[in-house]
Amino acid sequence: MVAAYGSRMDTPVTERADERSVVIVTFASAQVLDVTGPLEVFSSASRQLPGVRYGTEVVSAPGGPVLASCGLELATTSLAELTGPVDTLLVAGWRDMDLVCADADLLHHVRRLAAGARRVTSVCSGAFVLAAAGLLDGHRATTHWAECSVLASGYPAVAVDPDAIYVRDGRLWTSAGVTAGIDLALALVADDHGRQAAAAVARQLVVYLRRSGGQTQFSAVLAAQSADSEPLRDLLAWLPDHLDEDLSVPALARRASLSERQFRRVFTAEVGRTPADHVEAVRLEAACRLLETTDRSVNQVARACGFGTPETLNRTFRRRLGTTPGDHRRHFGGAG
């Protein structure tokens, strides 16, 4: 059995007044990187950064050894044993979503800990636990790109963003699949101690502080590859390089040689979202990439990505990402 490093199995979560407690909820058949990725970020931050202390604890509903999907066994504490306040609650992903979400006792303890936590977060399909507990109702969230449509249909009160690497909505943070938990944890360190502190941890771990773009870089490409109709595949591959052109439904339908009605139906069926939503998501991903990697002005980025005006770009950022282009560049930009 391997005890998850960084965990404190024999001490309460409130050991030191200046220590931020992080409780990671895991399950049988969990993705091990959902647990160990964030653990290593918090552990590295505590080791590398002066004055930074994270106390981490890995928990499960029953407690005791938990076998991850890869066969690694993690030592965990029982959720019911946690009584102290939690700074950050993080729910990992797992394989049997329906089974875990039907565990009323688990959901009770997640709600109990979340009520007093400063932040409530999830990695990958851990978002389903937060949704089943009612914690994501009325909020934006994300999960692994392959499960976004399932989360959206199963929990219509949740505004699911299928493209984001991670989403922050107030004190709620959710991330995409597997390695995105590292992105999320780095963002949490940046939120606590500033971007330079998080960048130092990222350098130590030899990872990006924030990878350029979102899940669009995976899901949009996969959508283009998996579309059944050749005109649609060609259109999806063409679209990211022509974001400043007319990408209205009539224009796209003409390019695909389909009627508007047929185009809407085929596109939505094969891509899993409306043409307008897909276009906006790809434009937003491109805008994020330009803000992060170039010194172009917000006005130039807006025009290059097809938003037309900075005002439209700003509204889209606020609606989909909960931030502004300027704040995004300040947090994640590396150019200039």
Side-chain angles (χ1 to χ4, degrees):
M1 181 176 67
V2 178
Y5 45 85
S7 60
R8 300 174 296 117
M9 299 305 172
D10 56 352
T11 56
V13 286
T14 53
E15 180 181 359
R16 296 170 177 165
D18 60 347
E19 184 177 77
R20 298 180 186 272
S21 61
V22 180
V23 170
I24 301 178
V25 182
T26 191
F27 321 90
S29 298
Q31 292 267 12
V32 71
L33 272 177
D34 290 5
V35 177
T36 58
L39 269 177
E40 186 57 43
V41 170
F42 295 123
S43 176
S44 294
S46 298
R47 295 194 308 269
Q48 301 294 326
L49 304 176
V52 174
R53 288 177 179 170
Y54 288 100
T56 56
E57 186 155 8
V58 180
V59 303
S60 65
V66 170
L67 194 65
S69 60
C70 67
L72 182 68
E73 200 170 65
L74 302 174
T76 70
T77 300
S78 169
L79 264 171
E81 294 179 14
L82 294 181
T83 57
V86 174
D87 180 80
T88 300
L89 178 66
L90 187 151
V91 181
W94 74 106
R95 186 166 52 194
D96 301 317
M97 294 180 295
D98 293 338
L99 180 64
V100 175
C101 288
D103 188 335
D105 187 56
L106 166 72
L107 298 181
H108 162 72
H109 287 297
V110 168
R111 292 188 199 98
R112 176 178 63 83
L113 294 173
R118 180 172 67 92
R119 290 185 299 216
V120 179
T121 71
S122 66
V123 178
C124 196
S125 52
F128 284 83
V129 172
L130 299 185
L135 299 173
L136 297 183
D137 287 356
H139 295 280
R140 293 174 55 251
T142 194
T143 186
H144 190 288
W145 64 266
E147 303 294 339
C148 282
S149 60
V150 179
L151 182 63
S153 60
Y155 301 94
V158 181
V160 179
D161 185 338
D163 295 315
I165 295 294
Y166 63 84
V167 167
R168 179 183 186 178
D169 190 340
R171 73 186 188 109
L172 298 171
W173 302 63
T174 52
S175 82
V178 197
T179 59
I182 296 174
D183 298 78
L184 173 67
L186 287 169
L188 296 176
V189 172
D191 187 53
D192 292 338
H193 301 288
R195 183 179 182 275
Q196 293 306 312
V201 176
R203 286 194 297 272
Q204 179 66 26
L205 297 179
V206 198
V207 297
Y208 291 110
L209 175 57
R210 183 187 187 279
R211 70 186 84 182
S212 179
Q215 292 197 79
T216 299
Q217 63 189 306
F218 308 110
S219 58
V221 172
L222 290 173
Q225 293 175 345
S226 61
D228 290 332
S229 60
E230 185 173 346
L232 195 55
R233 284 199 304 272
D234 293 343
L235 177 67
L236 289 166
W238 169 88
L239 191 149
D241 295 324
H242 299 82
L243 297 179
D244 59 344
E245 299 184 18
D246 179 8
L247 300 182
S248 63
V249 168
L252 294 177
R254 285 194 300 272
R255 184 168 189 87
S257 301
L258 298 170
S259 69
E260 290 183 33
R261 181 177 180 181
Q262 185 180 16
F263 175 74
R264 289 180 189 273
R265 179 179 58 78
V266 171
F267 192 101
T268 303
E270 296 193 18
V271 179
R273 57 186 176 187
T274 66
D277 186 45
H278 182 78
V279 167
E280 184 178 75
V282 176
R283 279 175 164 160
L284 184 62
E285 187 272 333
C288 287
R289 186 169 61 246
L290 290 178
L291 289 167
E292 294 161 11
T293 60
T294 76
D295 58 0
R296 294 191 195 182
S297 69
V298 172
N299 185 41
Q300 290 172 324
V301 170
R303 291 202 308 271
C305 297
F307 288 100
T309 66
E311 290 76 20
T312 302
L313 179 62
N314 187 67
R315 286 196 299 270
T316 305
F317 259 79
R318 287 191 177 278
R319 174 166 46 82
R320 298 191 73 134
L321 301 181
T323 187
T324 66
D327 283 342
H328 183 89
R329 169 169 276 166
R330 279 188 289 274
H331 282 299
F332 305 121

